[in-house]
Amino acid sequence: MINDGWAGTGSLRKLIFVLAIIGLGYLLLQMRPVPLQVSAWSGSVARPGSITGEAAPLTGRGIADPDVPAIDPLGLPNTIMTQGYGVGSHAPAEIWGAVDLAIDGNGDGQADPDGTLGTPVYATHDGVVHLASNTWPAGNHIWLEGIHFKTGYSHLQGFAVADGQAVKRGDVIGYVGSTGQSSGPHLDYQVWKDGVNVNPLDYNALAGTR
Ligand SMILES: [Zn+2]
């Protein structure tokens, strides 16, 4: 029941009411904010100070538009980048753009293979997961598809979700491995915006660790 006052009144009033609702919906769509400048978020993402490697609480939940990637997919303050965007096997950026992420367990600036293997991988935004096992070169791979954004998670040890499952930012979706074309445990992480490959570092992939 919408409103007792409207029930049973003339069809003209009902028509006006419906048109008003449609108009309001259209206005709301027009007013929908464009994705925020994500670079402005990096200062506002609180991270735990610990570098012990313990699971850290994910802080991305509630940050503005849930469609926008906004957190470190490894969720740990001692996440490091072992290969940058658009270089090496990540070139050209339009096709292979990604960053490789690993865990630096002892703070020496180097990836710690034992500390990295099996680390939980978090969805960096809301969306639906599509799983692919034993692909080349991506190994066990997840595409997480949102509205404007799609993120890729490669070389996984295993999956924590079912194909087609809807997930929220901060949900565990898999575990870091070294499957496919990989020289050691790491996460290859890609961000695509409206079909264009973009730099994950612009979307807080290393938030709190730089
Ligand atoms: Zn990579």
Side-chain angles (χ1 to χ4, degrees):
M1 181 63 69
I2 296 164
N3 181 323
D4 286 341
W6 292 102
T9 55
S11 57
L12 179 61
R13 296 187 76 178
K14 285 181 180 170
L15 180 64
I16 291 169
F17 182 76
V18 168
L19 288 174
I21 290 295
I22 291 171
L24 183 63
Y26 180 76
L27 276 176
L28 286 173
L29 274 177
Q30 299 306 305
M31 290 166 59
R32 203 165 59 131
V34 295
L36 297 173
Q37 284 283 343
V38 291
S39 57
W41 299 355
S42 46
S44 64
V45 181
R47 309 295 300 201
S50 161
I51 56 163
T52 59
E54 292 171 12
L58 268 288
T59 54
R61 286 186 194 273
I63 292 179
D65 186 343
D67 184 51
V68 180
I71 61 172
D72 169 0
L74 298 185
L76 292 172
N78 50 345
T79 301
I80 60 168
M81 185 170 69
T82 56
Q83 185 173 230
Y85 177 77
V87 299
S89 64
H90 298 158
E94 311 88 79
I95 302 170
W96 299 111
V99 292
D100 288 338
L101 303 175
I103 300 301
D104 173 14
N106 59 7
D108 67 354
Q110 303 295 312
D112 171 4
D114 293 336
T116 300
L117 186 66
T119 295
V121 175
Y122 300 93
T124 59
H125 57 104
D126 291 10
V128 173
V129 293
H130 300 284
L131 313 184
S133 298
N134 300 315
T135 66
W136 189 264
N140 296 323
H141 181 261
I142 294 177
W143 282 122
L144 171 54
E145 298 197 45
I147 301 165
H148 289 287
F149 285 89
K150 179 173 87 167
T151 47
Y153 309 79
S154 302
H155 314 304
L156 300 172
Q157 182 184 55
F159 303 121
V161 287
D163 190 44
Q165 187 175 327
V167 299
K168 298 281 190 192
R169 179 192 292 148
D171 287 349
V172 176
I173 56 175
Y175 303 95
V176 176
S178 190
T179 56
Q181 188 176 35
S182 170
S183 58
H186 75 281
L187 176 72
D188 178 289
Y189 175 56
Q190 297 179 27
V191 178
W192 295 75
K193 181 184 182 186
D194 292 322
V196 176
N197 192 308
V198 294
N199 190 341
L201 296 187
D202 291 337
Y203 295 89
N204 284 349
L206 278 176
T209 64
R210 286 186 291 175

